[in-house]
Amino acid sequence: MIIGCQWGDEGKGKIVDVLAEDAQLVVRYQGGANAGHTVQLPDQEFILHQIPSGILHPDKRCLIGNGVVLDAAEFLREYDALDQRGVNPKKRVGVSYGAHLVLPYHKILDQVSEDQATKKIGTTGRGIGPTYEDKVGRRGLRVGDLRHPDRTNTLIEEGIARAKSIIGEGESITDSLMEDREAFLRDSDRLVEFATDVGLEIANTLADGDSVLLEGAQGTALDVDHGTYPFVTSSNTTAGAAAIGSGIGPTMIDSVTGVVKAYTTRVGNGPLPTAFEPEMDEMIRELGGEFGATTGRPRRCGWFDGVLAKFSARVNGLTGLAVTKLDVLDTLPEVYVCTGYETQHGIIEDFPADLVELGEVKPVYEMLPGWMEPTKEIRSQEDLPRAARVFLERLEELAETSIEMVSVGPKRSQIIRF
Ligand code: GDP
């Protein structure tokens, strides 16, 4: 399993792309089209929102699990774009019967609830939250339902009526909901062809002795239970969700690799204890290209947070770490890592469960010398500059987890295996 250990955007897409080489099946298990993975191949760049990044390997099968909320139009657009760009996704993509569908009115509801909220969450407005609400409210529409037109129509009728009762009965809203509904039904006819039993496919693949890679979206601190609630996403992003969201038992998962950037970023609102001062923030954002893959929003940047890393290791049961974007720090004379939080009650090293407390902590930093050398062309641990190795060892100590690989650039080849 590959899991984001900060606030998302850790570079999971690239790590999944690298590890997909050794797996037969790649499976997404939570989130929706609000996630965006960027993968650079030698000659082109792909941004994938729903289809697992394993698709960029010619012979891998990629599945979307029941834990994902699927935007049918976006999914088909992504599929067609891959096809047009020569990736040949035919017979290699499947969608769980149990995945819930994002309907056009979910997107409108998403925007309305963000506009009305006193605390802005910074949602991407893609209807993800309202779709999960309908799932838990037991009134959602699932991929498997699309094979039964009567059931589908009833669920959509009821959904539209509910949406109107919240949004109002305005003529333009009614027209657009009806037009969007027709478009949705056209897309759903095509979507049915992708429906599959994801849990069964995983079990069969494992029984054949092949490997499966489970691909997480967003990051640990955005988990609806364990993250910085309410500034979180509406699904569980931590490792426990992978079994539920794909339809396998937890004992079938034998390794959990946590992806961390060599620094920290956060998009959307909510506390970021290690946030940089404005000048440094802008510099790292430019060096690291820290703008959202889905929305283009600038990400807030900060130093590596060892307290969050330690928490992520615990809550996800990490068996290894993948550190990305080491190269972004190449030019800095000094680098800092956060080793604890100063609170009213002294220094703590465990991530506070209370968001108010998190908002008030002051990070405690340790300064380390920078390496001031390019790392992008380095391919072995021994060839890394000494200061970079010391920095990485400190990350391992803070996260209490061994590093398995370090990424030194966006390309597939820019990886150092430990
Ligand atoms: P994800 O959602 O976790 O996959 O992260 P994103 O795709 O939103 O962000 C990662 C960005 O960093 C993408 O543009 C990647 O191409 C890029 N990237 C990934 N690894 C590295 C790296 O080691 N160095 C640099 N400079 N860029 C990287």
Side-chain angles (χ1 to χ4, degrees):
M1 186 194 315
I2 301 299
I3 201 118
C5 286
Q6 293 158 327
W7 275 280
D9 311 313
E10 296 92 349
K12 296 174 295 293
K14 146 134 192 204
I15 300 297
V16 169
D17 177 63
V18 167
L19 290 177
E21 190 74 48
D22 307 321
Q24 198 45 47
L25 199 58
V26 185
V27 184
R28 270 273 314 262
Y29 56 83
Q30 48 73 226
N34 52 348
H37 291 323
T38 315
V39 183
Q40 275 193 14
L41 297 191
D43 47 350
Q44 47 184 337
E45 182 181 275
F46 289 88
I47 298 182
L48 297 163
H49 297 289
Q50 297 187 100
I51 298 178
S53 26
I55 198 70
L56 302 174
H57 290 267
D59 53 344
K60 311 296 175 189
R61 184 155 161 84
C62 293
L63 303 179
I64 294 178
N66 57 282
V68 172
V69 291
L70 190 77
D71 184 325
E74 284 288 331
F75 167 81
L76 293 171
R77 242 195 304 280
E78 202 166 312
Y79 179 89
D80 291 339
L82 286 167
D83 202 13
Q84 278 154 19
R85 291 176 68 184
V87 170
N88 191 15
K90 288 206 178 62
K91 303 238 179 287
R92 297 203 291 124
V93 180
V95 177
S96 165
Y97 287 110
H100 278 251
L101 289 157
V102 179
L103 284 137
Y105 50 80
H106 288 129
K107 293 185 193 171
I108 303 176
L109 289 173
D110 209 357
Q111 207 48 60
V112 169
S113 80
E114 180 79 351
D115 291 347
Q116 290 173 353
T118 40
K119 267 188 186 169
K120 307 273 183 232
I121 306 295
T123 163
T124 52
R126 303 209 165 219
I128 314 289
T131 309
Y132 277 118
E133 281 179 41
D134 277 356
K135 171 178 178 172
V136 179
R138 293 168 295 187
R139 51 177 180 254
L141 179 69
R142 312 203 290 175
V143 170
D145 294 323
L146 299 176
R147 297 199 298 185
H148 310 290
D150 287 349
R151 183 171 165 68
T152 298
N153 278 321
T154 309
L155 284 167
I156 295 180
E157 296 284 335
E158 289 170 5
I160 290 181
R162 220 177 7 261
K164 280 193 201 159
S165 73
I166 297 169
I167 306 160
E169 286 275 353
E171 216 170 275
S172 62
I173 293 271
T174 305
D175 287 351
S176 94
L177 282 173
M178 286 322 204
E179 280 163 28
D180 290 347
R181 170 205 170 126
E182 294 313 313
F184 173 81
L185 289 172
R186 276 195 302 278
D187 288 337
S188 55
D189 281 345
R190 252 188 96 192
L191 192 66
V192 177
E193 293 163 29
F194 295 90
T196 184
D197 184 334
V198 171
L200 183 62
E201 279 207 44
I202 297 177
N204 288 341
T205 305
L206 294 176
D208 287 346
D210 287 324
S211 297
V212 177
L213 190 61
L214 299 169
E215 168 178 346
Q218 291 104 20
T220 298
L222 292 174
D223 184 284
V224 67
D225 283 283
H226 303 289
T228 50
Y229 191 90
F231 301 105
V232 291
T233 196
S234 18
S235 59
N236 285 110
T237 57
T238 43
I244 296 168
S246 62
I248 56 169
T251 48
M252 294 170 100
I253 298 166
D254 52 22
S255 86
V256 184
T257 298
V259 186
V260 289
K261 265 192 255 218
Y263 49 97
T264 310
T265 61
R266 172 159 204 178
V267 73
N269 299 330
L272 174 61
T274 61
F276 289 133
E277 295 297 322
E279 202 175 312
M280 185 72 179
D281 188 44
E282 205 170 320
M283 184 175 113
I284 296 294
R285 183 158 44 251
E286 287 303 322
L287 283 172
E290 297 297 352
F291 299 90
T294 302
T295 58
R297 285 188 288 184
R299 297 172 183 153
R300 288 182 283 157
C301 303
W303 294 114
F304 183 85
D305 187 339
V307 180
L308 175 60
K310 181 181 168 192
F311 168 70
S312 287
R314 170 164 63 83
V315 76
N316 293 305
L318 296 187
T319 55
L321 270 189
V323 180
T324 61
K325 296 200 155 184
L326 184 73
D327 55 295
V328 173
L329 307 183
D330 281 354
T331 53
L332 304 183
E334 305 171 334
V335 285
Y336 291 78
V337 288
C338 167
T339 57
Y341 293 155
E342 199 181 314
T343 71
Q344 285 175 344
H345 317 290
I347 291 174
I348 56 169
E349 289 174 3
D350 287 306
F351 200 66
D354 180 344
L355 185 76
V356 176
E357 192 179 339
L358 183 70
E360 289 167 356
V361 301
K362 284 224 284 269
V364 178
Y365 287 120
E366 188 174 299
M367 193 265 281
L368 298 166
W371 41 98
M372 308 273 282
E373 273 179 59
T375 55
K376 278 180 182 293
E377 302 308 321
I378 294 175
R379 297 292 175 266
S380 77
Q381 188 179 354
E382 300 72 48
D383 292 340
L384 277 169
R386 206 185 115 65
R389 275 185 282 149
V390 170
F391 171 74
L392 291 168
E393 275 165 24
R394 197 68 187 106
L395 302 198
E396 283 185 315
E397 283 165 12
L398 291 167
E400 299 176 348
T401 310
S402 304
I403 292 177
E404 289 172 349
M405 65 186 88
V406 174
S407 171
V408 288
K411 297 201 190 96
R412 200 178 261 175
S413 59
Q414 289 174 305
I415 197 91
I416 304 171
R417 298 203 189 232
F418 275 40

